[in-house]
């Protein structure tokens, strides 16, 4: 996906990935060649949590203008939002962003601020689109993607089409109930996969291990506030059995969630992305084992479960693919052809 010299008339598109801590942006072509990237903190230096949605959208518009100065003007913008977004491009439920985002007309506002047509999707669906067009999804028409990080999100491609469903919520694998009376979730339910196996869930469990004396090597990280799942995995790699069990249990929960989704949709490819995917085989092997053990309606030998080859670029590339589509294209258009419609 590296940049190559381009003819002067080549259309360029901006992709934006809006997250709870950072805003990532890229400008590139419909073939996935990225010319330049940029990243800023979502709430600026010092993390000003009192920024309004309008403030954040103005900061995104400024970021887009800087990208355009670094290359040339864009033809359209795609933006991934961390929550539900309706078909008009208005945010409906963004639980990990402070401020009142419900009903905020994200695409209309960015179009007004930049002068470019703007299109929006949930960030996990956007990453799914990126994988489908440019990553592991190129090999299939039936793809499930999981974003494993601060939360757990997902996206679904069936019969070569990105699925949206009611409120654009198709693929929200992190909010299926795994434990009926489990911990409360930000979505309002209980025992969701996200409450059991997300980055914060693993960190919270690690803190309990430290309190019990079973993971003293993690205490320094806990005291300075930097403890994260990577530290837990490193302790497991060095032989701490409690930390190994913690990661394996989280992986089992994720595997159960995937097994449920595979049984329901019969996808043949599952891609894992996000910060937890960096744990590699310590997460991947028990996930694969759990899926094999729990999917019994049909053989699992043809199901691929892989770590994303695109990583954090998936959502940006998905946003570029979305922006490159003709405005008249329906949301469920087949994105296998990435260039604009004639």
């Amino acid at each position: 996906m590296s940049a190559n010299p381009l003819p002067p008339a080549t259309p360029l598109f901006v992709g934006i990935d809006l997250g709870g801590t950072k805003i990532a942006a890229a400008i590139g072509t419909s073939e996935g060649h990225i010319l330049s990237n940029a990243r800023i903190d979502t709430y600026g230096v010092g993390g000003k949590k009192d920024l309004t949605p309008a403030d954040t959208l103005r900061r995104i518009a400024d970021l887009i203008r800087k990208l355009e100065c670094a290359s040339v003007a864009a033809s359209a913008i795609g933006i991934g939002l961390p929550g539900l977004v309706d078909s008009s491009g208005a945010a409906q439920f963004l639980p990990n962003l402070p401020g009142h985002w419900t009903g905020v007309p994200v695409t209309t506002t960015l179009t007004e601020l930049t002068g470019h047509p703007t299109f929006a999707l949930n960030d996990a669906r956007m990453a799914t689109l990126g994988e489908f067009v440019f990553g592991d999804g190129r090999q299939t028409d039936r793809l499930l993607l999981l974003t494993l990080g601060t939360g757990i999100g997902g996206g679904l491609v069936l019969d070569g089409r990105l699925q949206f469903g009611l409120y654009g919520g198709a693929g929200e694998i992190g909010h299926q109930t795994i434990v009926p009376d489990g911990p409360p979730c930000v979505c309002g339910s209980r025992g969701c996969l996200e409450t059991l196996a997300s980055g914060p869930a693993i960190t919270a469990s690690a803190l309990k291990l430290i309190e019990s004396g079973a993971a003293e090597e993690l205490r320094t990280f806990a005291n300075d506030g930097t403890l994260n799942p990577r530290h837990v995995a490193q302790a497991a790699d060095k032989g701490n059995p409690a930390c190994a069990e913690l990661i394996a249990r989280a992986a089992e929960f994720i595997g159960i969630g995937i097994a449920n989704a595979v049984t329901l949709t019969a996808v043949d490819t599952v891609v894992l992305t996000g910060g937890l995917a960096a744990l590699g085989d310590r997460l991947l092997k028990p996930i694969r084992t759990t899926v094999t053990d729990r999917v019994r309606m049909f053989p699992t030998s043809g199901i691929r479960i892989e770590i994303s080859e695109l990583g954090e670029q998936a959502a940006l590339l998905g946003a570029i693919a979305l922006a490159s589509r003709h405005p008249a294209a329906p949301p469920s258009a087949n994105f296998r052809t990435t260039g604009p419609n004639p």
Side-chain angles (χ1 to χ4, degrees), residues 122-181:
N122 165 270
D123 54 358
R125 257 70 83 199
M126 198 74 89
T128 304
L129 180 58
E131 288 290 344
F132 180 52
V133 175
F134 300 115
D136 281 305
R138 289 173 295 179
Q139 305 174 44
T140 183
D141 286 334
R142 298 179 300 279
L143 168 70
L144 173 68
L145 177 128
L146 280 76
T147 57
L148 304 172
T150 302
I152 295 180
L156 183 64
V157 172
L158 295 176
D159 297 327
R161 293 178 182 271
L162 182 64
Q163 302 298 303
F164 293 90
L166 186 64
Y167 304 118
E172 281 291 354
I173 190 170
H175 294 285
Q176 60 177 299
T177 300
I178 303 295
V179 177
D181 297 318

Side-chain angles (χ1 to χ4, degrees), residues 23-89:
I23 302 170
I27 188 167
T29 70
S30 61
E31 288 76 31
H33 299 297
I34 292 179
L35 277 67
S36 59
N37 291 275
R39 177 180 295 196
I40 59 175
D41 293 337
T42 302
Y43 296 100
V45 178
K48 298 178 180 178
K49 297 292 186 177
D50 59 346
L51 289 180
T52 67
D55 294 330
T56 300
L57 293 175
R58 280 192 291 270
R59 297 185 72 237
I60 291 173
D62 289 341
L63 186 60
I64 291 169
R65 283 188 281 269
K66 289 178 181 178
L67 278 178
E68 291 183 302
C69 288
S71 48
V72 295
S75 298
I77 299 164
I79 180 170
L81 301 176
L84 295 182
V85 52
D86 66 23
S87 60
S88 74

Side-chain angles (χ1 to χ4, degrees), residues 2 16 23 26 35 42 44 47 84 103 163 177 183 185 191 201-202 261 267 286 311 315-316 333 337 340:
S2 59
I16 302 290
I23 302 170
L35 277 67
T42 302
L84 295 182
Q163 302 298 303
T177 300
C185 183
I202 292 173
V267 296
L316 288 175
T337 300

Side-chain angles (χ1 to χ4, degrees), residues 178-334:
I178 303 295
V179 177
D181 297 318
C185 183
V186 294
C187 75
S189 186
R190 301 184 67 89
C192 293
L193 177 60
E194 181 171 302
T195 70
L196 304 169
S198 64
I202 292 173
T203 299
S205 296
L207 288 171
K208 293 180 180 178
L209 290 182
I210 296 169
E211 292 172 2
S212 71
E216 281 297 320
E217 60 266 58
L218 300 179
R219 189 173 294 278
T220 299
F221 303 116
N223 289 341
D224 64 19
T226 63
L227 181 65
N228 62 50
R230 179 172 52 84
H231 297 132
V232 182
Q234 288 170 349
D237 290 341
K238 292 177 181 178
N240 184 306
C243 289
E245 173 59 26
L246 195 165
I247 297 293
R249 185 62 169 163
E252 182 182 16
F253 285 135
I254 294 169
I256 290 170
I258 292 173
N260 292 341
V262 167
T263 301
L264 184 65
T265 64
V267 296
D268 57 29
T269 302
V270 179
V271 176
L272 311 179
T273 188
L276 291 183
L279 300 186
D281 282 347
R282 185 165 285 281
L283 197 73
L284 192 59
K285 287 183 177 179
I287 286 174
R288 286 172 170 163
T289 298
T290 300
V291 171
T292 298
D293 288 345
R294 291 184 175 271
V295 175
R296 296 292 183 171
M297 289 297 295
F298 41 79
T300 59
S301 56
I303 299 173
R304 297 171 53 242
I305 304 176
E306 306 290 348
I307 303 295
S308 167
E309 65 179 41
L310 300 181
E312 64 181 18
Q313 292 284 81
L316 288 175
L317 286 166
I320 287 172
L322 179 67
S324 72
R325 301 300 295 176
H326 189 281
S332 60
N334 189 328

Side-chain angles (χ1 to χ4, degrees), residues 77-113:
I77 299 164
I79 180 170
L81 301 176
L84 295 182
V85 52
D86 66 23
S87 60
S88 74
Q92 294 302 324
F93 181 59
L94 276 58
N96 294 319
L97 287 181
H100 186 71
W101 281 85
T102 302
V104 174
V106 173
T107 56
T108 299
T109 301
L110 284 179
T111 296
E112 292 173 350
L113 291 172

